[in-house]
Amino acid sequence: MAAAPDVVEAATEANKRGLPDLRARAEMALQQTRPEWTSIRTEGAIPPALIAGQQRLIDAAPDLRTALWRTVRDIHPAMHAQAKLEADGALEGLLRIPRSRINPAGPVFVRPPADADDDLAMEMQVRGLRLFGILTAVQLDRIHERFQPDEVEMTVALTHKTVLPKPRAHTLAHAFCYYWLEEFDAAACVALPQVEQLLRQLLRSQAPVVSVARGQSPGGVDLMGGLLQRRPKAGYPADWSKALELLLVDPDRGMNLRNDILHGLTGTPPRHHVAHVALILQAALYLLSHAHGQRTPLGTTA
């Protein structure tokens, strides 16, 4: 349910003119509407031209390994789309007031901490991830159609001497083969531990990821959530780090696939199951592409 256009216009104009009191009054008026306006009800249709463009990227790759790298980008599209909407002013007025600032119980203006996450932005990013997963599935299918790779060829393409040695590359290759056989649960269960280990190996030189037993402390290893939080500090792009958190370990507003799948918390596969598994495989390719020197230098953006 959308708020009245005049209220939205008032909040937008007050924001532009630097009139915080007027904006606060407009925001309180907005609170008297139902908060469902923050929900985006449709996933949206992907234009055929966009799908064809993703397929052409694979068709133009000279070999299997290059085709695999072309399923990932330097800047994550779901994160980039949100930043672009904000920069273009597309979220002015109503959409710039996040759900966390609306009090459905009454017209008392509630301001969260300055660093609080914007619920609407997070929701849009998760929906963007799902759409991006569909495009990734299109590309993975095209790779299979064009190259028909078996597990040996995939192992060769994925192997990295230090980050993904041949035995573990062989395991990850199995995940891709399971995916192409439409054994999606098996693909996810095989790929997720490899994604976690790839994170660990990439961060090993920048930060300690294994603690040894000392006295009463039994020692241990950092798990995926902690590893992802360390990535930006180690110089890795923040947009992909945030996307991987939403995809794999965020239990509140993200997809939380790592925890749900590996802890056996999923039952019937969700509607977006194929796209979810495609994103897990893409996460492995993205991390591995850093080891193979396919991404921009650490700490830079494309």
Side-chain angles (χ1 to χ4, degrees):
M1 176 178 178
D6 55 341
V7 178
V8 177
E9 189 174 329
T12 304
E13 193 63 25
N15 187 51
K16 289 180 179 178
R17 294 176 180 271
L19 302 172
D21 292 341
L22 180 58
R23 175 172 177 156
R25 289 172 59 190
E27 287 175 330
M28 286 189 285
L30 283 171
Q31 291 179 50
Q32 298 177 45
T33 67
R34 289 170 59 85
E36 282 80 2
W37 60 267
T38 56
S39 296
I40 302 171
R41 299 298 182 182
T42 60
E43 294 295 337
I46 298 179
L50 183 55
I51 292 177
Q54 301 304 302
Q55 293 172 328
R56 284 195 297 271
L57 283 174
I58 302 303
D59 293 341
D63 51 48
L64 173 60
R65 179 177 280 181
T66 303
L68 293 172
W69 301 152
R70 290 189 176 186
T71 66
V72 297
R73 306 179 191 179
D74 284 342
I75 299 177
H76 196 288
M79 305 297 114
H80 177 65
Q82 172 68 20
K84 188 175 187 302
L85 283 172
E86 292 180 348
D88 292 345
L91 303 184
E92 281 291 342
L94 178 63
L95 290 181
R96 288 188 64 85
I97 304 173
R99 183 186 305 167
S100 58
R101 296 192 180 188
I102 288 186
N103 175 13
V108 178
F109 181 60
V110 178
R111 184 177 300 277
D115 59 350
D117 288 326
D118 186 321
D119 284 359
L120 177 60
M122 300 281 282
E123 184 175 347
M124 291 178 68
Q125 288 167 354
V126 170
R127 290 179 182 272
L129 276 170
R130 291 195 177 111
L131 290 175
F132 190 40
I134 296 171
L135 293 177
T136 302
V138 167
Q139 289 189 313
L140 290 177
D141 288 345
R142 195 63 155 200
I143 288 172
H144 187 248
E145 291 170 6
R146 181 181 172 196
F147 296 99
Q148 293 289 315
D150 59 24
E151 63 185 57
V152 174
E153 292 168 316
M154 284 298 296
T155 300
V156 172
L158 296 170
T159 297
H160 185 275
K161 184 177 179 180
T162 57
V163 173
L164 193 73
K166 186 175 180 180
R168 289 198 295 107
H170 190 219
T171 300
L172 183 57
H174 277 303
F176 281 90
C177 292
Y178 278 132
Y179 177 86
W180 287 319
L181 290 171
E182 298 187 4
E183 297 286 348
F184 300 121
D185 289 335
C189 289
V190 171
L192 281 167
Q194 299 308 313
V195 171
E196 189 160 340
Q197 181 64 0
L198 282 168
L199 277 166
R200 194 170 288 116
Q201 289 298 108
L202 286 170
L203 288 170
R204 188 177 294 275
S205 62
Q206 284 93 9
V209 295
V210 179
S211 60
V212 298
R214 294 179 183 276
Q216 299 298 316
S217 174
V221 297
D222 276 4
L223 300 180
M224 188 177 285
L227 293 169
L228 286 171
Q229 290 175 4
R230 288 189 179 192
R231 291 187 82 247
K233 294 179 181 179
Y236 288 89
D239 60 324
W240 268 93
S241 298
K242 182 62 177 178
L244 293 178
E245 282 191 54
L246 287 173
L247 176 70
L248 299 170
V249 296
D250 188 324
D252 296 322
R253 288 167 294 184
M255 296 156 74
N256 201 34
L257 296 184
R258 183 266 188 193
N259 296 324
D260 283 353
I261 292 173
L262 294 187
H263 293 165
L265 301 178
T266 58
T268 303
R271 181 161 54 97
H272 306 285
H273 191 53
V274 176
H276 290 179
V277 180
L279 287 171
I280 292 170
L281 295 175
Q282 183 199 56
L285 291 174
Y286 171 74
L287 295 169
L288 191 56
S289 70
H290 276 289
H292 282 280
Q294 297 299 310
R295 304 266 65 79
T296 53
L298 299 185
T300 67
T301 56

